[in-house]
Amino acid sequence: MAEAPEKNLALDIVRITEAAALASARWLGRGDKEAGDGAAVDAMRVSFATLNIDGLVIIGEGEKDHAPMLFNGEKVGKGTGPCLDVAVDPVEGTNLLAYGRPNAISVVGVAPHGSMFNPGPSYYMQKLVVPREARDVVDLDAPVKENLNRVAKALDKSVQDLVVFVLDKPRHKKLINDIRAAGARIQLQTDGDVAGALMAVDPRSEVDIMMGTGGTPEGVLSACAIKGMGGQLLARLDPQSYVEKEAITEAGIDVREVLTVHDLIRSDDCFFAATGISGGDFLRGVRYSPRHAVTHSLVLRGKTGTLRYVESYHNLDRLTKFSAVRY
C-alpha cells in the first residue's frame, strides 16, 4: 500500500551536525583537540534541545573521552515525539581537526528505540565495508586476497583498480602487506574510520572497500548510513586489551559473533547526517567568506534510501545575534 511521505528527521539532524562543524572548525590546525571537540559537543547539545524527539544516547562521547555531556545514557531532545536511539560523534577525527588534516567530520545517526546495537564496554571491532554491488559476496573470515577478488568481480574492476581504505596503525601491518600482495591500491589514513566506511559506500568516492579494526561506536554510527545506502558492514568485536576483553565477556557479549549492518541497526527507519569540518575528498570542510560560512553535508534516510548532498550558506552576522551556539 502506498504511503504518504513522512517527516525526514535527517533534515533536522543535519542542522545539528552543521552547528557542531561550524563551532569546531575555528579550532582547525590549532593543536588543541579537546577545545575543538568541546566546542562541537556544546553546539550539538544545544541544537538537540530544539528537537521534538525523546532521544537516548546509545553511542556518545563515551568513557574514552571522559565526556561530561552527550555521554552514553544521556537523554536528548524535548522529550516529546518519537522515541529514538541516538548515536553521535561531534568530531570524528579530533586529531585530524587539531592538526589540520583532511576528513574530520561531525556525525549523528538516529533509529527507533531499541533498534541500535549497544556496544557496552567494547571499544574496537574488526570491520569490512563494501558497497551495494558487493554486499553479498564478502566474508569476514575469508583471506584478504579472496575478498578483494570477489569485490573486484562484483564491481566489474580488476583488483589492481580497487582502492582499500585502511587506518594507518601498527595492528594493520599484516593486513596492509596482504592487500599489497594482492595488487590492490591502499588509502592510508591516521584516523577517521566513520569517514572511511562512508567513502566505501559513497558512489562519488574512489574508495571501494574498507578493511581493518576501528572503533566499535564508530561502526554503529557508520551502519546508520550504510544500511540506507544498501551496502554491507561485517564486523566482529576485536578487543585490544585484556581489560576490554574481560569487560565484554562479563557483559555477556559474544566476541566471536559476526555482526552485519542489520544487526547493528535493526530498523530501516533510520536517519543519518554528516558535515565536513576539515577539507577532504569525502566532504568539503567549513569555508569562510566575508559574509558566510559554507558547509557541506551528507544526509540520508534509511527507509527510502534517499541520499542528499547539502551545501549550506550560513549568515554569521545574523546567526551570532541570537544563536546560543558560538560560531
Side-chain angles (χ1 to χ4, degrees), residues 58 83-85 111-117 266:
I58 302 296
C83 294
L84 300 172
D85 289 342
H113 181 61
S115 64
M116 188 176 288
F117 178 77
R266 295 183 295 275

Side-chain angles (χ1 to χ4, degrees), residues 19 57 95 124 140 142 146 148 155 194 196 228 247-248 253:
V57 177
N95 283 321
Y124 293 96
L140 193 63
E146 184 175 336
L148 293 177
L155 298 181
V194 172
I248 293 171
I253 303 173

Side-chain angles (χ1 to χ4, degrees), residues 23-33 35-36 95-100:
S24 60
R26 298 291 189 183
W27 294 94
L28 177 69
R30 294 172 62 180
D32 191 341
K33 69 177 186 178
N95 283 321
L96 301 179
L97 172 63
Y99 298 108

Side-chain angles (χ1 to χ4, degrees), residues 214-230:
T216 305
E218 289 83 354
V220 179
L221 251 172
S222 303
C224 286
I226 295 167
K227 190 178 182 76
M229 291 185 185

Side-chain angles (χ1 to χ4, degrees), residues 3-223:
E3 299 179 14
E6 299 171 333
K7 183 177 179 61
N8 188 346
L9 280 173
L11 298 176
D12 288 326
I13 63 176
V14 74
R15 294 177 58 227
I16 297 174
T17 58
E18 285 175 346
L22 287 168
S24 60
R26 298 291 189 183
W27 294 94
L28 177 69
R30 294 172 62 180
D32 191 341
K33 69 177 186 178
E34 286 79 14
D37 191 47
V41 170
D42 290 342
M44 189 170 275
R45 196 164 189 255
V46 167
S47 300
F48 261 116
T50 68
L51 289 190
N52 288 310
I53 65 168
D54 183 6
L56 177 68
V57 177
I58 302 296
I59 305 295
E61 287 289 87
E63 295 178 18
K64 287 193 299 181
D65 305 288
H66 306 289
M69 295 187 296
L70 293 179
F71 54 84
N72 297 350
E74 182 177 351
K75 300 284 286 186
V76 294
K78 292 184 175 180
T80 60
C83 294
L84 300 172
D85 289 342
V86 177
V88 304
D89 201 340
V91 179
E92 203 259 334
T94 53
N95 283 321
L96 301 179
L97 172 63
Y99 298 108
R101 296 170 183 154
N103 295 327
I105 58 177
S106 178
V107 190
V108 171
V110 300
H113 181 61
S115 64
M116 188 176 288
F117 178 77
N118 190 332
S122 172
Y123 293 149
Y124 293 96
M125 61 167 40
Q126 180 188 0
K127 305 174 193 177
L128 174 61
V129 182
V130 294
R132 174 189 295 271
E133 295 83 357
R135 65 185 178 187
D136 297 321
V137 302
V138 289
D139 181 346
L140 193 63
D141 293 319
V144 168
K145 183 176 181 179
E146 184 175 336
N147 273 324
L148 293 177
N149 284 330
R150 292 177 181 180
V151 172
K153 183 177 181 180
L155 298 181
D156 195 23
K157 291 184 174 184
S158 69
V159 172
Q160 290 73 22
D161 291 336
L162 293 179
V163 175
V164 186
F165 181 101
V166 181
L167 289 177
D168 191 7
K169 306 291 184 183
R171 62 178 176 265
H172 289 150
K173 182 178 180 180
K174 182 180 184 304
L175 171 62
I176 291 169
N177 288 337
D178 288 346
I179 295 170
R180 287 172 174 165
R185 299 179 293 161
I186 303 177
Q187 186 176 124
L188 287 173
Q189 299 283 350
T190 58
D191 299 277
D193 60 333
V194 172
L198 297 180
M199 283 190 272
V201 294
D202 188 335
R204 306 176 308 166
S205 171
E206 67 177 15
V207 172
D208 299 295
I209 180 171
M210 175 189 170
M211 290 179 159
T213 292
T216 305
E218 289 83 354
V220 179
L221 251 172
S222 303

